[in-house]
């Protein structure tokens, strides 16, 4: 019984820590983000890893990327504009931005 309890605690912790990443990938799928973006390669838009690299060390990266998701953007990554997601809540946009900035893991 004593061995089971620590193992159970480790398993529960692992599930809880992995849930936000899954939730954010599901959020990206739900909002059709993955139609234009991939984690590690350019599609219509930049790879999420390239976005994370671009904003590394930028103090306002989360706010800037959250705004780009909600309001759209043009000219940051070439001629193709990123459409706005005005129906997405700020909390969801922020969660996606944090996921992307974290390497979309």
């Amino acid at each position: 019984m004593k061995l089971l309890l620590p193992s159970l605690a480790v398993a529960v912790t692992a599930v809880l820590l992995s849930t936000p990443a899954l939730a954010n990938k599901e959020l990206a799928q739900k909002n059709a983000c993955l139609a234009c973006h991939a984690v590690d390669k350019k599609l219509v838009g930049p790879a999420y890893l390239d976005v994370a690299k671009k904003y590394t060390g930028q103090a306002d990266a989360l706010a800037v990327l959250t705004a780009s998701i909600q309001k759209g953007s043009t000219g940051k990554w070439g001629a193709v504009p990123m459409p706005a997601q005005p129906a997405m809540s700020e909390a969801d946009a922020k969660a996606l931005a944090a996921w992307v900035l974290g390497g979309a893991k």
Side-chain angles (χ1 to χ4, degrees), residues 8 22 29 41 56 62 70-71 75 80 82-83 91 96 98-99:
L8 182 60
L22 292 175
Q29 289 171 329
K41 63 183 174 186
T56 297
L62 185 61
Q70 286 190 294
K71 299 175 184 176
V80 178
M82 182 172 132
L96 278 173
W99 179 69

Side-chain angles (χ1 to χ4, degrees), residues 28-40:
Q29 289 171 329
K30 174 184 161 194
N31 288 284
C33 303
L34 300 177
C36 296
H37 298 279
V39 172
D40 59 354

Side-chain angles (χ1 to χ4, degrees), residues 21-91:
L22 292 175
N24 292 327
K25 184 175 182 180
E26 290 172 2
L27 193 57
Q29 289 171 329
K30 174 184 161 194
N31 288 284
C33 303
L34 300 177
C36 296
H37 298 279
V39 172
D40 59 354
K41 63 183 174 186
K42 181 185 182 334
L43 297 178
V44 175
Y48 288 142
L49 292 177
D50 291 336
V51 174
K53 284 180 195 173
K54 180 175 183 165
Y55 289 103
T56 297
Q58 189 172 325
D60 62 346
L62 185 61
V64 169
L65 194 52
T66 299
S68 290
I69 292 168
Q70 286 190 294
K71 299 175 184 176
S73 67
T74 57
K76 290 183 180 181
W77 297 92
V80 178
M82 182 172 132
Q85 297 285 333
M88 186 183 297
S89 71
E90 184 173 350

